[in-house]
Amino acid sequence: MSRFYLTTAIDYANGDPHFGHALEKIGADAIARYRRLRGDAVHFLIGMDEHGQKVAQAAEARAIPPQQLVDQLAETFRATWRRLAISYDQFVRTTDPQHKAGVQALIERIFARRPDDFYEKSYEGWYCVGCETFKRDDEISNGKLEWMAERNWFFRLTAYAPFLEQLFRTHPGFLEPESRRNEILGLLERGLEDVAVTRATLAWGIPFPRATSAGERQATWVWFDALPNYLTATGFPSAGFEARWPAQLHVIGKDITRHHCVVWPAMLEAAGLPLPERVWAHGFISMGGERFSKSAGVKLDLVTAIDRHGPDAFRYFLLREVPFDGDGDFSLERFDERYVSDLADAFGNLASRVLAMLERYRGGAVPASGEATALDRAGETAVARYAGAMDHLLLHRGAAAAWELVSEANAFVERQAPWALAKAGQAEALDATLGALARCLARLAVLAGPFLPATAPALWAALGLGADPTSAPAWLLATAPRIEAAQTHRIAPLFPKADQQAA
């Protein structure tokens, strides 16, 4: 059993969850569920980024203390992730005392190992409140910018340019997909600048452990506070944190690669700690060509979209429609189309028909295997394609491979016409057909699990296989299904259409 420590970006606590948050958490959850299927010991971390100027401003606008705001939002986010069946193992908050202590310990560790990496400097420039980052002249675009002039602690990021260049030369898989890596390589070619790691005017943050030469205590810059959550969640600096660190995978949005693939590796190198093995930067989701975000204005409420066809359908649609290595668009019309064509008519109808025929013609018993059929061979191909896509985090292709098998199975039903075989008394051919279809449903229950975590167990149970198609033994059944002893039963439509819901 291999260790697999998986993280997502922690969500900023200045508003309710939106589609961008959902895409990332659902995608990471599908990865976590797939890795569990393959037998890995998964630890899945998500959480909340609760300090910084944006949070302080949002709390002030609501006339409540920042801690009250982040407590409320943390519960709102948790409720959303419960509804979407996000199977996280740990929920970190940057206001947790253990996290605060871990951040300060990391900073002190850098001071001890590389005392010249921190220095004081007076600085003035444009500060982006939305991304909590000082902007260089060549990075200024439309956005909420404030001119800041302060004397802060700085981190000597420029000293790590050779280390970062070597990292990307020798470990090209550290950041994927390739387009994101090329962006960081371009940034390194343009040259780095040292970063201010404290804010003199910010009260809502973790106190920097060292005072300035003037005796002033400042708050830690929010990114120097937030990035270490992946490390502090392991118990750092307490003994035993190495049992989980380093992370095997950070899943983040493409807009924060600079922080995760330049600042974070430099911090870890300065502290003498291992780097995460891999960073995956997914794209954005838009509606009508405009990105879902608080700054752009969310045009469709997340809860409304989930309510339309339910959490499983919403999960499937996002991961099938939005490439996990690129950008994608959301529309209710397209959601409705996918729900009917892919889920109700294709997957749901296949399950209902096969289970009904097994009950009608064989009393619910799955016939013995016999020789492999064309559908069995198509299933083997689908499993291989699915595994290849999921291993490379191309979740949309993994879903496509599974649903191509759904199409193969529906075509197999029409070609074989079990009702005609039964009427003609061709018992052997009927057994071969129904057995192949039952095995295909078992495969599909396993492959669909990372996308449809509520539906897949219902199908698995209807096949008489128990209630858990999510573990390594289930993956073995997907690769070589042997379910002849199973006793199946009919179930209600997995994805009812409007007329079925009304009935």
Side-chain angles (χ1 to χ4, degrees):
M1 183 177 286
S2 300
R3 179 175 65 85
F4 195 86
Y5 179 27
L6 164 67
T7 77
T8 68
I10 51 177
D11 300 316
Y12 208 68
N14 68 327
D16 290 339
H18 58 64
F19 280 73
H21 297 127
L23 173 66
E24 179 169 293
K25 300 305 176 291
I26 293 170
D29 182 68
I31 295 167
R33 290 176 181 274
Y34 171 70
R35 295 313 323 172
R36 293 187 191 111
L37 267 177
R38 301 306 303 268
D40 289 345
V42 173
H43 189 89
F44 178 19
L45 175 73
I46 66 174
M48 298 291 290
D49 183 1
E50 298 182 337
H51 289 127
Q53 189 171 342
K54 281 191 297 184
V55 173
Q57 290 176 347
E60 184 179 1
R62 300 188 191 192
I64 59 175
Q67 188 65 56
Q68 183 179 344
L69 172 66
V70 298
D71 288 346
Q72 292 172 356
L73 286 172
E75 183 48 44
T76 298
F77 274 78
R78 279 191 174 116
T80 301
W81 306 147
R82 284 194 296 270
R83 185 155 190 234
L84 288 170
I86 307 302
S87 60
Y88 62 87
D89 299 290
Q90 187 178 359
F91 191 94
V92 67
R93 298 177 59 184
T94 57
T95 54
D96 291 340
Q98 196 279 327
H99 172 75
K100 293 180 182 179
V103 169
Q104 292 176 328
L106 179 63
I107 292 169
E108 289 289 11
R109 181 169 171 142
I110 296 173
F111 266 113
R113 294 188 75 255
R114 301 287 297 270
D116 292 337
D117 278 5
F118 290 117
Y119 65 95
E120 292 181 60
K121 186 176 83 169
S122 295
Y123 181 83
E124 57 181 333
W126 289 108
Y127 189 79
C128 174
V129 177
C131 54
E132 298 280 10
T133 304
F134 279 102
K135 293 290 188 178
R136 305 189 315 189
D137 289 344
D138 61 355
E139 295 174 325
I140 294 174
S141 60
N142 293 330
K144 187 177 181 181
L145 299 177
E146 295 182 6
W147 186 262
M148 296 288 183
E150 297 181 346
R151 184 170 181 83
N152 305 126
W153 280 104
F154 273 69
F155 175 63
R156 208 177 298 276
L157 184 63
T158 51
Y160 291 89
F163 162 75
L164 292 165
E165 291 165 359
Q166 178 71 8
L167 169 66
F168 281 93
R169 277 198 303 270
T170 58
H171 298 285
F174 175 72
L175 172 59
E176 294 181 293
E178 185 178 3
S179 58
R180 313 293 179 235
R181 183 170 66 254
N182 290 338
E183 292 169 4
I184 296 300
L185 289 172
L187 174 65
L188 294 174
E189 288 175 3
R190 293 194 301 273
L192 299 178
E193 292 182 355
D194 294 345
V195 293
V197 295
T198 62
R199 294 288 310 282
T201 57
L202 177 66
W204 184 242
I206 295 176
F208 196 74
R210 301 286 182 99
T212 66
S213 57
E216 182 183 13
R217 291 286 180 177
Q218 298 187 347
T220 304
W221 175 46
V222 67
W223 279 102
F224 237 65
D225 164 352
L227 289 165
N229 88 88
Y230 312 120
L231 177 64
T232 65
T234 69
F236 176 88
S238 299
F241 78 90
E242 302 94 340
R244 191 181 308 150
W245 189 259
Q248 275 61 60
L249 178 65
H250 288 332
V251 175
I252 62 168
K254 67 178 182 178
D255 55 334
I256 53 176
T257 52
R258 170 186 169 187
H259 302 92
H260 283 80
C261 300
V262 176
V263 178
W264 181 224
M267 291 172 67
L268 291 167
E269 175 67 8
L273 293 168
L275 271 58
E277 294 178 9
R278 189 180 188 190
V279 179
W280 183 272
H282 63 81
F284 293 149
I285 182 170
S286 61
M287 185 175 187
E290 293 190 30
R291 177 188 168 195
F292 281 102
S293 69
K294 295 183 183 70
S295 58
V298 179
K299 296 182 175 62
L300 179 64
D301 180 69
L302 179 61
V303 173
T304 300
I306 297 170
D307 285 345
R308 193 170 185 90
H309 296 299
D312 266 22
F314 182 76
R315 287 174 58 108
Y316 170 78
F317 178 75
L318 282 191
L319 296 184
R320 180 72 191 273
E321 194 76 7
V322 180
F324 211 56
D325 58 346
D327 300 330
D329 197 68
F330 182 94
S331 75
L332 292 176
E333 295 77 13
R334 184 64 175 154
F335 189 15
D336 292 343
E337 290 172 7
R338 283 275 190 199
Y339 179 82
V340 173
S341 63
D342 293 17
L343 298 177
D345 286 350
F347 187 54
N349 189 49
L350 173 69
S352 294
R353 293 177 80 187
V354 172
L355 292 168
M357 288 188 292
L358 283 165
E359 182 176 290
R360 180 176 180 182
Y361 300 128
R362 291 296 179 263
V366 177
S369 298
E371 294 184 4
T373 67
L375 184 57
D376 291 302
R377 291 187 288 274
E380 293 169 0
T381 299
V383 168
R385 292 186 58 222
Y386 173 94
M390 299 296 280
D391 286 343
H392 289 89
L393 308 185
L394 300 174
L395 308 181
H396 55 297
R397 294 185 184 175
W403 260 259
E404 285 170 13
L405 181 57
V406 172
S407 297
E408 291 278 357
N410 279 311
F412 183 79
V413 171
E414 296 304 319
R415 285 198 310 271
Q416 297 298 113
W419 50 90
L421 296 174
K423 186 175 182 180
Q426 298 183 41
E428 187 174 341
L430 180 59
D431 281 347
T433 297
L434 294 178
L437 287 167
R439 292 190 293 276
C440 184
L441 281 188
R443 275 195 165 111
L444 288 171
V446 175
L447 302 187
F451 303 93
L452 307 174
T455 305
L459 177 56
W460 192 253
L463 287 165
L465 299 173
D468 184 19
T470 63
S471 60
W475 180 256
L476 294 177
L477 277 182
T479 56
R482 293 289 182 270
I483 61 172
E484 293 78 17
Q487 184 67 33
T488 69
H489 62 267
R490 293 193 193 203
I491 53 175
L494 295 175
F495 296 99
K497 291 190 278 192
D499 55 344
Q500 293 171 314
Q501 291 170 336

